[in-house]
Amino acid sequence: MEKLRLFKNRIGTLLMKTLSFTVLLLLFAMGTGLFLRSQALLADKPISDLLFSSAWRPSAGEYGYLTFIFGTLMVTLYALLIAVPFSICAAVYLSEYAKKRTRDFFKSVIDILASIPSVIFGLWGVLIIVPMVKEIGSVLFGASSTGYSLLSAALVLAVMILPFIIHIVLEVLQTISVSLREAALAMGATSWQAIKHVVLRKALPGIIAACGLGLARAFGETMAVMMVAGNIAQISISPFEPTYTLPALIANNYGEMFSIPLYDSALMFAAFILFAIILLFNIISWIVFYRVKRRL
Amino acid sequence: MNIRKDRRFFEEKLIKGIMRFCALLLAGLLILIVTTIAVKGFSALNLSMLVNTAKGGFYLGKEGGILHAIIGSFCIAGGATCLAFFISTPIVLYINVYRKKRSKLAELIRFAFNVLWGIPSIVYGAFGFTCMLFLGLKASLLAGILVITLVEIPILARGIDEVVQHVPIEITQAALSLGATTGETAWKVVIRQILPGIITAMLLAFGRGIGDAAAVLFTAGFSDYIPESLMQPVATLPLVIFFQLGTPFPSVQNRAYASAFILTLLVLSISLMARFFSKKLSRHRIDHM
């Protein structure tokens, strides 16, 4: 009886340990799997040609990712520009000024907003944001736009990453000890001065980490961006021009993947680029985040 | 002195106002999104959509419904949530109960979960697709479930981990001091403490699974009927919305709004249910000893 229990325990431990290591391997497997699939393309073309050429003509065997990388970067950048100030303001208000009940209520709002599927955000974008951008473009800037544009994609994306960034900034702000604030207040600072000079300064690395995570999240968003971005491959920084992102490229073309040679490999390479960039940003941001949390 | 002071308080008031406005706008956005979908979707909704599958020419505006997609989404998300539960719970218990408090391995695994959590579903989809090619699988319900399982594992693990960390160490110590093995402590004592947390996390993961489109795009395929076996392709609600919206026919687009309304309703009720469970079930939890 005693032996059986210990034996069961030993077997169980072994199984659980193996399972844990398998998850560690999963990240590695994803990277290698995608990389191996894109080998066919990489063997055929030098990598600098792929990354720095904007010619995307699969039927002619030309695969240049520059336009798509540029489009993804622009959409992400615009989205961050909109979302970051907004989320820092909201997070600071909720953490520093709001009562506990208000904070809890808004935490629920954030959670619910985060649980809405991206297709719904996309549809909302098509119904509300796209006509709005079209109007703004024609009335204020005289740009004739269909509304399916960089700006629409960025706005929808900004709304999608808002709850995400706020959640993390809130977590960072809550780890800062109350005595620091009290010290500042006792010196005669107003609440805002205490926040500006003490809390935000202390939280800065954590806030930057939150932005990094938001960036990674925005970079890989597929459906919502694809539905409102217009999906025309061109390099343009005008917010009213359509754009095309890497995830949208993959999702739009998976159907004809096997009809053209190297096409499947090319799409998997696109996924690999996405994976690599997002992995990098995630790892750096989480390391910063952990450091901040440990220090406070 | 007085002027300086006035400026300080003016700045305080101004900033506070701006910040409050941002927070309120957040709630406004949620209301705006939900009402937009509800208003557009509710008027287009009818019962025959819910009880029929897509007939021929459904995407051209002919008869039919989206029952197959609703069932497909439930099958994929349900299967994936169960699988993800059986994978992530042992891992979370392992890193919390078996390992010491400041274990390097536990930290590493948490880090890996955080990173996996940030990987977008399209990359999971592409990875799942390469695995399918490798294994010789076709786009099917099974492949869809497996990929969504991968998407859900980090969500579930992070959710459960957060709850396990709040289980007081005294409970573990009490169990161990009575002669229980680590396994018995983890699976008979600790797991009861975190049951509400597990249910909440599972509901949240389920909600994510139902709403995911990019990962199943490659792996689950698409069909017009209710799947009868694991090897058949299956349609999901988000993809049905996406494809209906992509047609040039207003009547089909209206159906997309209605489908979106159903999806929103599903996801919101799951989310509220998760909230309810986490409140209701945690009443009897031991927090401090």
Side-chain angles (χ1 to χ4, degrees):
Chain A
M1 183 64 196
E2 192 58 32
K3 276 221 172 102
L4 183 70
R5 274 180 66 208
L6 289 178
F7 178 71
K8 260 162 75 181
N9 192 40
R10 203 164 302 150
I11 294 288
T13 312
L14 196 68
L15 280 175
M16 284 161 95
K17 197 170 186 174
T18 325
L19 209 53
S20 305
F21 278 106
T22 324
V23 165
L24 281 186
L25 280 179
L26 184 61
L27 268 178
F28 186 70
M30 282 174 85
T32 353
L34 292 174
F35 186 70
L36 287 180
R37 270 282 148 201
S38 40
Q39 267 309 305
L41 179 72
L42 291 175
D44 203 49
K45 307 240 162 38
I47 193 159
S48 56
D49 275 16
L50 294 171
L51 292 180
F52 299 111
S53 147
S54 57
W56 180 267
R57 280 183 287 274
S59 47
E62 287 180 68
Y63 297 98
Y65 290 92
L66 188 65
T67 332
F68 303 103
I69 296 175
F70 180 81
T72 319
L73 281 176
M74 286 313 283
V75 171
T76 307
L77 199 69
Y78 272 95
L80 279 180
L81 281 178
I82 301 165
V84 166
F86 192 95
S87 22
I88 293 176
C89 282
V92 170
Y93 177 76
L94 293 178
S95 156
E96 307 297 316
Y97 288 110
K99 293 194 196 86
K100 190 173 180 302
R101 270 183 62 185
T102 325
R103 184 159 60 235
D104 286 345
F105 169 74
F106 274 98
K107 272 187 182 164
S108 308
V109 169
I110 292 168
D111 286 348
I112 293 173
L113 202 57
S115 71
I116 293 177
S118 61
V119 174
I120 302 292
F121 277 107
L123 181 60
W124 173 71
V126 171
L127 291 173
I128 302 281
I129 298 288
V130 168
M132 195 181 87
V133 168
K134 186 180 173 183
E135 278 301 304
I136 293 175
S138 65
V139 172
L140 294 182
F141 298 94
S144 63
S145 163
T146 54
Y148 290 91
S149 60
L150 183 54
L151 184 60
S152 305
L155 279 168
V156 172
L157 201 50
V159 177
M160 291 182 75
I161 59 173
L162 265 180
F164 186 73
I165 301 180
I166 294 178
H167 186 90
I168 299 168
V169 174
L170 210 53
E171 200 172 314
V172 173
L173 289 174
Q174 307 260 286
T175 52
I176 295 171
S177 79
V178 185
S179 54
L180 272 175
R181 296 181 183 110
E182 283 169 349
L185 294 175
M187 302 298 283
T190 60
S191 317
W192 166 239
Q193 281 176 320
I195 294 166
K196 186 168 63 174
H197 295 299
V198 179
V199 177
L200 282 183
R201 191 160 295 181
K202 193 89 179 150
L204 189 65
I207 292 175
I208 292 174
C211 297
L213 292 173
L215 188 149
R217 172 101 349 165
F219 214 82
E221 180 45 50
T222 313
M223 299 308 277
V225 172
M226 184 161 102
M227 286 163 86
V228 297
N231 298 337
I232 294 172
Q234 57 176 0
I235 293 188
S236 158
I237 53 166
S238 159
F240 297 104
E241 289 290 321
T243 188
Y244 210 154
T245 65
L246 269 179
L249 172 78
I250 305 170
N252 258 336
N253 296 303
Y254 78 103
E256 54 240 47
M257 200 145 46
F258 291 110
S259 50
I260 302 167
L262 288 183
Y263 206 3
D264 60 322
S265 180
L267 291 184
M268 289 305 138
F269 185 58
F272 180 74
I273 298 175
L274 264 183
F275 174 78
I277 294 175
I278 288 166
L279 189 70
L280 189 73
F281 270 99
N282 256 303
I283 289 178
I284 295 172
S285 306
W286 281 116
I287 288 176
V288 173
F289 186 76
Y290 274 119
R291 284 241 171 115
V292 172
K293 264 193 127 173
R294 202 166 303 153
R295 202 147 35 90
L296 292 170
Chain B
M1 182 63 198
N2 239 340
I3 296 171
R4 253 187 81 89
K5 206 166 177 185
D6 279 351
R7 226 176 66 195
R8 275 176 53 190
F9 286 117
F10 175 71
E11 194 183 320
E12 165 93 31
K13 276 224 175 84
L14 181 74
I15 297 278
K16 194 176 166 185
I18 293 174
M19 287 178 166
R20 176 183 279 165
F21 173 75
C22 286
L24 287 177
L25 201 61
L26 193 72
L29 275 172
L30 178 64
I31 294 170
L32 179 65
I33 292 171
V34 174
T35 43
T36 309
I37 302 291
V39 167
K40 274 279 185 182
F42 192 71
S43 55
L45 191 65
N46 57 48
L47 193 66
S48 74
M49 259 186 77
L50 291 176
V51 294
N52 283 312
T53 59
K55 306 271 160 46
F58 178 63
Y59 295 94
L60 302 170
K62 297 245 179 69
E63 291 275 291
I66 53 160
L67 181 69
H68 61 298
I70 299 176
I71 292 180
S73 274
F74 268 99
C75 289
I76 286 189
T81 310
C82 289
L83 275 180
F85 168 76
F86 285 117
I87 296 170
S88 41
T89 314
I91 298 174
V92 173
L93 285 178
Y94 179 72
I95 60 174
N96 281 293
V97 182
Y98 285 68
R99 310 292 300 189
K100 292 199 195 73
K101 199 81 190 162
R102 286 250 163 250
S103 152
K104 278 264 175 349
L105 179 72
E107 287 300 311
L108 190 64
I109 289 174
R110 280 202 189 100
F111 191 84
F113 276 136
N114 282 338
V115 174
L116 279 172
W117 183 60
I119 303 286
S121 65
I122 184 97
V123 173
Y124 280 105
F127 172 64
F129 182 73
T130 61
C131 290
M132 275 163 53
L133 288 181
F134 185 70
L135 297 171
L137 266 169
K138 281 213 179 88
S140 60
L141 178 58
L142 180 67
I145 290 178
L146 291 178
V147 168
I148 296 297
T149 306
L150 292 184
V151 175
E152 284 186 10
I153 284 174
I155 303 171
L156 205 49
R158 282 168 49 97
I160 300 175
D161 190 41
E162 204 162 294
V163 206
V164 178
Q165 287 186 2
H166 285 118
V167 174
I169 186 91
E170 288 89 343
I171 289 184
T172 325
Q173 287 167 345
L176 289 173
S177 70
L178 287 172
T181 60
T182 359
E184 285 162 351
T185 313
W187 289 100
K188 289 182 179 160
V189 180
V190 174
I191 202 158
R192 282 201 194 161
Q193 287 289 309
I194 58 169
L195 200 62
I198 291 181
I199 293 175
T200 308
M202 278 179 81
L203 281 169
L204 290 177
F206 184 77
R208 181 64 70 86
I210 268 197
D212 195 281
V216 291
L217 193 63
F218 293 97
T219 47
F222 201 72
S223 77
D224 281 344
Y225 47 87
I226 298 167
E228 280 158 1
S229 85
L230 279 173
M231 303 318 281
Q232 283 177 353
V234 57
T236 54
L237 211 37
L239 285 183
V240 164
I241 297 169
F242 179 70
F243 288 132
Q244 288 181 123
L245 198 69
T247 61
F249 311 106
S251 66
V252 184
Q253 285 179 354
N254 268 331
R255 281 192 205 141
Y257 305 149
S259 319
F261 180 54
I262 295 168
L263 179 60
T264 314
L265 222 54
L266 275 175
V267 170
L268 285 186
S269 43
I270 290 166
S271 173
L272 290 177
M273 220 148 72
R275 214 158 292 285
F276 173 76
F277 268 112
S278 74
K279 279 218 182 85
K280 183 106 181 165
L281 293 178
S282 59
R283 275 188 314 188
H284 305 297
R285 205 178 60 194
I286 304 170
D287 262 330
H288 302 287
M289 289 185 80

